Amino acid sequence: MLISNDSSFARNVGGVLVESGVEIQHKLKGFSPAQKFPQAEFSPYHNTTYEWNPIGSGIMWKSYNFPVFLLSESSTSTLQEIAMKNEKTERAYTTNVAEFDVVMQTTKVGTHDSESCLKEETCLPLGGYSRKKMSFANRSDVYSYGDITILLRGGMLRGGSVWSALPPIDRLSSNQSKPIILAVASMDAQSFFRDKSLGADSPISGMISLLAAVDALSHVDGLDDLNRQLVFLVFTGEAWGYLGSRRFLLELDQQSDAVHGLKSTLMHLVMEIGSTGRGLNQGNKTFFAHTEVSSASNETLDALKLAQESLKSDGVTISTANSSNPGVPPSSMMAFLRKNSSTSGIVLEDFDTIFANKFYHSHLDDSANINSSAIVAAASLVARTLYVLASDNKNLTSSALSAINVNASLVEELISCMLDCNPGLSCELVKSYISTTNTCPNHYVGVVLGEPSSTPHPNQVDDISRFVWNFLADRTSTPKGDTSVCSQDCGKKGGVCIRAETDGKGVCVISTTRYVPAYSTRLKFDSGTWQLLPPNSSDPMGMLDPVWTESNWNTIGLRVYTVQDAAYDRLVLLGGITVTVLAYLAILLTRAYITKALKQD
Amino acid sequence: MTVAAGIGYALVALGPSLALFVSVISKKPFLILTLLSSTLVWLISLIILSGIWRAFLPLNSATWWPFAILLFTSVAFQEGLRLLFWKVYKRLEDIMDAFADRVSKPRLYLTDKMQIALAGGLGHGVAHAVFFCLSLLTPAFGPATYFVDRCSQIPFFLVSAIIALAFVMVHTFSMVIAFNSYAEGNKVDQLFVPVVHLAAGMMTLINFASGGCIVGIPLLYLMAILTLMHCGRMVSRRLTENHRQGSS
């Protein structure tokens, strides 16, 4: 903030090093580099000045001419020492300096927006499948250049969204017209620092609640006989222009392979699970149902009330959000509503009028910012509500409802796998489904490598998406269906191959679980390159999409070392020359003396 | 530190050698050969020593006495090689004198012999400076500088350049003294050279102490100047003796 207001100060800033440490987190009451109304341009209502995130400073969305590094805790203490040494050094002719080694190929080549950089292939669109770093940029000189953590203007992010049906949709059955109840969450987070985007409260707590709810519902018998079909959907890329939801809706219209079995006409209602981790208030777990004023979501609210009744002993309450809110908070629901304003849907959140998350979209939104019992409570609420909605009030008994229980230890495990470095992605739960070399989880959406498809190769999909896919496929699979070693005809039987990475072969289970590519609706992958499509009035959200991309980059580093004054260097050179010249003169004198001495006489 | 400082350090260590080379040695091809061969001999001696000492590495840098033993053995070995170098030179000298007689040209003058000794010594000195200073100097051409904890007032590169210069002086003039003393059979001077070499080596151990370089380096220069002065005295004595002999 200081830098954007004071340009003479800004000129003297070569770079910024951000400290990290547990004490720092405790001192801060809140920090959010996001805007006060994140992604306001996509809202289905006109009041875009409403401040959902009043703490938001918006610094993440400005461009800077210098790099900003987040230091690890050990580096922080090292650099604090060096800074102190600089203050009290006795040697006047030396200082300690920091040198940044960041080369962004787009800046180097001069392609400053997404369209040109995609054409020149100096950047890639944001999106899920790959989370590997690219090493395309050639490192020439070391120079400080801006925008290391702030992505260049215009961007395309995409990822691998996952959807799964419970119970599995029988392709062969003629009865394919059950109305669909869609339960939605997102799995990507955002922060000022690309490599530390945990998003514990927003949105991972919601995703964990959804996964735990799926686990609870998977133990219920008789889901086949219910009137409606449950479908769970985990989007990615939502933080960068609702890429996952927009792309999903587009694919639904186009009836592509990725969404086979779903039809937009069958969508009965949508329930989105936003942030749930901060719902604990003095022992009570309170949540709020946000809904668009015009949509008819009384049915969902009634179902929620029923679920709340059954959870009364656990102190769980759900209320409708304040009517002075302009509408739904920033959420995937905005994409659904923009597409079809009569969509019946609610967004479940842990806040009412403003975000309860004081670290929204910052690197400090980690597991210390959430409470696992709130997540468990939200999961119970969601599971029971979904059961009520799916059964459509047919033979609904309170005993059936009370039989749906969320496994609290599963929630704890998911938190420690998804939001901590220890055990992180090397935890047992994750290791039983996928194999990965990363331990520290990161929920930045990443970039698209290669052509998007509904059956991507595992090394094109990031760890979290693969885990979610495997987990959902496992939980929604018919328990009595025969499970066998994966083979070619697994797909033909209506099954999918899970745990394929852990033992190389995998297990074939009957489940309807698919990836949906998630990237901007303004982009098309054509003969090896990405092309930016012109804005189309039939895609109003696409017209507002900034189309984010990430520049190619090589290894990024930071060096700190001691430097001498230039005057000292020149003095040394002078000294060397003097010594040489004096020695030469001395030799000449000696030689003259010797010849003279020899000639004497 | 930049290129300017890097060149400065290199000149401090090797500038006088360069001056000597240009003014004296480059004029006579035989001296250049002597210089190169003595450099080679010195480097080979280092290789052999490091081969033997490899078995005892790494040395515990907290104590100084393993380094003292290392220095003692190295100096002893190199002095032994110096004797060998002298013997080879003597053989060569006889051959050259015989050849000169055959073609009726004058034999080697005393000044020639001293210049050969000087070239030999310079070869040793340059090898030392290149090996122990120049090889470490590459980072000095970059942007940073470096200070050692135990000698924190002066950059590390400057310290090593100054020490290298002192050793260049010691090696160069020691060879003159040594050759002269072997030729004359002067036992005292024959002992002078190894003792001074060893003493100079041991002086560097003082740098181990914190702030020791403030004491160690001046002492080292004391050794170097001692060598220089002794050499000067010996040379002027021999020249005047020779002159008197020649003219009488």
Side-chain angles (χ1 to χ4, degrees):
Chain A
M1 294 294 280
L2 189 63
I3 286 166
S4 46
N5 291 335
D6 186 348
S7 60
S8 59
F9 181 74
R11 260 198 295 276
N12 291 331
V13 175
V16 176
L17 302 175
V18 178
E19 300 178 342
S20 65
V22 183
E23 335 74 53
I24 294 167
Q25 231 161 312
H26 289 156
K27 273 191 249 169
L28 278 175
K29 284 195 283 254
F31 166 68
S32 172
Q35 294 146 331
K36 294 203 197 293
F37 185 157
Q39 306 199 86
E41 60 270 22
F42 293 104
S43 78
Y45 45 82
H46 297 296
N47 182 359
T48 53
T49 53
Y50 184 79
E51 293 184 355
W52 286 106
N53 183 27
I55 296 183
S57 53
I59 57 176
M60 192 158 65
W61 301 97
K62 300 204 166 81
S63 71
Y64 303 96
N65 283 333
F66 49 81
V68 183
F69 277 83
L70 177 66
L71 302 170
S72 66
E73 288 197 34
S74 55
S75 304
T76 305
S77 44
T78 310
L79 275 157
Q80 275 171 342
E81 256 181 59
I82 293 179
M84 293 232 285
K85 266 201 223 165
N86 252 353
E87 292 240 340
K88 47 177 210 180
T89 187
E90 305 119 18
R91 285 191 297 263
Y93 56 88
T94 59
T95 30
N96 293 311
V97 298
E99 179 186 79
F100 302 107
D101 185 5
V102 311
V103 179
M104 292 285 135
Q105 197 180 18
T106 45
T107 319
K108 204 168 127 179
V109 171
T111 48
H112 293 292
D113 61 31
S114 279
E115 186 167 8
S116 51
C117 80
L118 283 170
K119 229 188 295 214
E120 297 294 317
E121 297 187 18
T122 54
C123 70
L124 279 175
L126 294 194
Y129 285 172
S130 171
R131 296 183 70 247
K132 294 196 182 64
K133 291 184 191 174
M134 256 78 52
S135 307
F136 299 123
N138 287 321
R139 201 169 107 184
S140 57
D141 296 321
V142 170
Y143 50 103
S144 305
Y145 241 102
D147 293 354
I148 169 187
T149 52
I150 302 175
L151 301 181
L152 295 177
R153 194 126 345 221
M156 173 177 137
L157 296 187
R158 83 118 151 160
S161 306
V162 181
W163 71 271
S164 185
L166 178 70
I169 295 174
D170 194 352
R171 287 184 189 196
L172 307 165
S173 155
S174 53
N175 184 16
Q176 270 192 346
S177 52
K178 272 195 197 171
I180 293 173
I181 309 285
L182 206 57
V184 168
S186 33
M187 62 171 142
D188 79 306
Q190 198 185 53
S191 93
F192 197 89
F193 301 106
R194 173 200 192 274
D195 292 325
K196 201 154 178 224
S197 306
L198 286 170
D201 188 33
S202 313
I204 302 294
S205 62
M207 181 186 87
I208 294 178
S209 293
L210 183 65
L211 295 181
V214 173
D215 175 69
L217 285 168
S218 68
H219 295 114
V220 173
D221 277 331
L223 288 170
D224 277 329
D225 304 325
L226 295 178
N227 278 349
R228 296 187 182 135
Q229 173 77 49
L230 285 172
V231 173
F232 308 104
L233 193 40
V234 182
F235 289 130
T236 187
E238 296 303 276
W240 294 98
Y242 299 120
L243 301 174
S245 43
R246 281 167 47 216
R247 188 82 217 166
F248 172 76
L249 290 168
L250 182 65
E251 303 245 339
L252 206 57
D253 280 346
Q254 295 171 343
Q255 278 293 291
S256 68
D257 279 334
V259 294
H260 184 87
L262 302 174
K263 287 198 191 69
S264 48
T265 46
L266 292 174
M267 296 290 171
H268 185 74
L269 60 87
V270 181
M271 177 154 138
E272 180 172 350
I273 304 150
S275 46
T276 58
R278 293 192 66 82
L280 196 66
N281 283 318
Q282 286 135 357
N284 286 326
K285 296 112 180 168
T286 44
F287 301 99
F288 298 90
H290 296 254
T291 148
E292 194 62 8
V293 180
S294 56
S295 71
S297 25
N298 286 331
E299 192 185 345
T300 323
L301 293 169
D302 292 337
L304 280 166
K305 283 289 186 303
L306 270 173
Q308 182 193 235
E309 275 297 311
S310 72
L311 289 167
K312 211 191 262 207
S313 54
D314 295 334
V316 180
T317 44
I318 174 106
S319 347
T320 39
N322 199 316
S323 52
S324 60
N325 288 354
V328 292
S331 54
S332 312
M333 189 63 69
M334 289 189 164
F336 283 92
L337 288 169
R338 281 295 278 253
K339 184 99 185 153
N340 179 0
S341 54
S342 58
T343 306
S344 174
I346 69 136
V347 184
L348 188 73
E349 301 272 15
D350 54 11
F351 60 84
D352 190 8
T353 50
I354 56 169
F355 288 167
N357 185 0
K358 301 294 169 230
F359 295 100
Y360 181 77
H361 281 182
S362 84
H363 61 287
L364 299 169
D365 186 6
D366 57 18
S367 55
N369 197 29
I370 55 168
N371 198 303
S372 65
S373 48
I375 299 179
V376 171
S380 312
L381 202 58
V382 166
R384 293 185 181 188
T385 306
L386 287 175
Y387 184 75
V388 170
L389 288 169
S391 61
D392 196 12
N393 276 331
K394 185 180 94 164
N395 300 337
L396 188 64
T397 57
S398 63
S399 57
L401 214 50
S402 350
I404 301 172
N405 288 310
V406 165
N407 184 348
S409 58
L410 172 69
V411 170
E412 295 281 355
E413 204 178 350
L414 282 169
I415 292 174
S416 68
C417 296
M418 304 274 127
L419 298 171
D420 279 328
C421 273
N422 185 14
L425 296 175
S426 62
C427 69
E428 285 305 314
L429 182 61
V430 172
K431 273 211 302 224
S432 68
Y433 289 117
I434 62 164
S435 69
T436 172
T437 45
N438 300 322
T439 35
C440 282
N442 190 25
H443 303 284
Y444 169 66
V445 63
V447 291
V448 187
L449 257 194
E451 183 161 8
S453 91
S454 62
T455 47
H457 195 270
N459 66 1
Q460 284 180 303
V461 189
D462 65 295
D463 298 332
I464 307 289
S465 299
R466 290 196 335 267
F467 167 72
V468 168
W469 187 91
N470 273 281
F471 182 90
L472 285 178
D474 190 23
R475 293 298 193 267
T476 61
S477 60
T478 32
K480 293 184 225 29
D482 54 326
T483 58
S484 50
V485 176
C486 268
S487 55
Q488 297 283 47
D489 54 344
C490 183
K492 291 200 201 88
K493 287 190 291 182
V496 294
C497 213
I498 65 170
R499 301 183 207 267
E501 299 167 44
T502 50
D503 59 4
K505 291 186 232 89
V507 174
C508 181
V509 296
I510 309 295
S511 171
T512 310
T513 308
R514 282 201 199 64
Y515 289 108
V516 181
Y519 54 96
S520 175
T521 49
R522 289 275 302 280
L523 282 164
K524 194 168 96 123
F525 190 79
D526 191 21
S527 48
T529 52
W530 287 98
Q531 269 145 26
L532 187 65
L533 301 168
N536 188 345
S537 58
S538 67
D539 178 14
M541 283 185 105
M543 286 171 73
L544 300 160
D545 189 354
V547 192
W548 291 102
T549 48
E550 181 183 302
S551 168
N552 296 339
W553 45 276
N554 206 335
T555 28
I556 286 172
L558 172 66
R559 288 198 297 189
V560 179
Y561 49 81
T562 318
V563 160
Q564 283 174 178
D565 277 352
Y568 192 85
D569 289 343
R570 286 194 285 267
L571 197 67
V572 166
L573 181 63
L574 195 66
I577 294 174
T578 312
V579 165
T580 310
V581 166
L582 284 177
Y584 188 72
L585 290 174
I587 292 163
L588 287 181
L589 277 172
T590 315
R591 200 164 54 178
Y593 176 75
I594 290 178
T595 29
K596 199 170 108 181
L598 285 175
K599 288 232 175 79
Q600 257 174 1
D601 200 42
Chain B
M1 267 178 307
T2 70
V3 177
I7 295 177
Y9 294 129
L11 281 178
V12 166
L14 284 171
S17 325
L18 188 69
L20 196 57
F21 182 85
V22 164
S23 54
V24 176
I25 305 207
S26 62
K27 304 216 168 17
K28 298 189 180 169
F30 189 74
L31 293 179
I32 301 178
L33 286 172
T34 314
L35 183 131
L36 289 174
S37 55
S38 107
T39 308
L40 188 66
V41 164
W42 202 86
L43 283 176
I44 289 175
S45 77
L46 271 191
I47 292 172
I48 295 173
L49 278 168
S50 62
I52 296 170
W53 271 92
R54 185 78 176 81
F56 300 90
L57 290 179
L59 290 177
N60 182 4
S61 62
T63 53
W64 60 268
W65 56 263
F67 293 95
I69 298 176
L70 173 66
L71 281 173
F72 187 80
T73 52
S74 309
V75 169
F77 185 68
Q78 284 182 342
E79 292 305 322
L81 270 187
R82 199 196 293 274
L83 203 57
L84 203 66
F85 197 62
W86 157 257
K87 292 219 159 67
V88 169
Y89 159 74
K90 202 77 188 96
R91 189 79 62 80
L92 217 58
E93 195 193 288
D94 292 337
I95 294 172
M96 287 202 291
D97 279 344
F99 180 74
D101 285 342
R102 245 183 305 138
V103 297
S104 312
K105 284 274 171 67
R107 286 185 165 197
L108 285 170
Y109 288 120
L110 181 63
T111 45
D112 293 330
K113 294 183 197 172
M114 285 188 183
Q115 278 178 345
I116 293 174
L118 191 70
L122 190 64
H124 273 20
V126 165
H128 181 115
V130 166
F131 197 83
F132 286 109
C133 173
L134 227 59
S135 59
L136 304 172
L137 219 50
T138 329
F141 288 91
T145 184
Y146 183 64
F147 289 81
V148 183
D149 282 335
R150 296 185 208 186
C151 191
S152 56
Q153 305 308 320
I154 326 170
F156 166 72
F157 302 103
L158 190 58
V159 171
S160 81
I162 291 173
I163 293 177
L165 178 61
F167 272 103
V168 162
M169 286 167 68
V170 168
H171 282 305
T172 310
F173 299 115
S174 297
M175 192 65 94
V176 177
I177 298 171
F179 272 27
N180 257 316
S181 63
Y182 291 138
E184 286 186 323
N186 184 341
K187 289 281 185 249
V188 173
D189 279 344
Q190 278 177 15
L191 265 178
F192 179 85
V193 167
V195 165
V196 163
H197 189 179
L198 189 66
M202 292 302 180
M203 295 295 173
T204 57
L205 288 175
I206 299 176
N207 295 334
F208 261 132
S210 176
C213 56
I214 300 175
V215 170
I217 293 179
L219 280 178
L220 184 64
Y221 268 86
L222 200 68
M223 293 285 117
I225 290 169
L226 196 70
T227 315
L228 175 62
M229 280 171 44
H230 191 88
C231 176
R233 251 209 316 256
M234 191 177 70
V235 164
S236 73
R237 176 178 52 83
R238 278 218 73 189
L239 282 177
T240 46
E241 272 174 18
N242 201 37
H243 193 70
R244 243 178 272 128
Q245 268 176 354
S247 60
S248 61

